[in-house]
Amino acid sequence: MMSDCPICRRAPADPKYRPFCSRRCADVDLQRWLGGVYAIPGEPAEEAPGED
């Protein structure tokens, strides 16, 4: 059993793009990662010595 596409919630049609249903949904997900929409919460990073 295949799960639904995480972007549009339709059942995946092409196993080539799994877990997405299409190239479009895979590209939407990539753009969200590149645009900073997805983030892992955590403590602010400390600056390395010598960085101002």
Side-chain angles (χ1 to χ4, degrees), residues 2-52:
M2 298 177 84
S3 61
D4 293 342
C5 175
I7 302 300
C8 69
R9 302 293 181 213
R10 290 186 295 173
D14 190 343
K16 182 170 134 180
Y17 299 110
R18 195 168 49 190
F20 308 103
C21 67
S22 65
R23 173 75 186 250
R24 179 199 163 277
C25 285
D27 288 345
V28 167
D29 185 69
L30 178 61
Q31 182 59 41
R32 288 178 181 176
W33 277 107
L34 295 175
V37 174
Y38 300 140
I40 300 171
E43 298 295 320
E46 295 181 24
E47 290 187 18
E51 288 185 13
D52 289 333

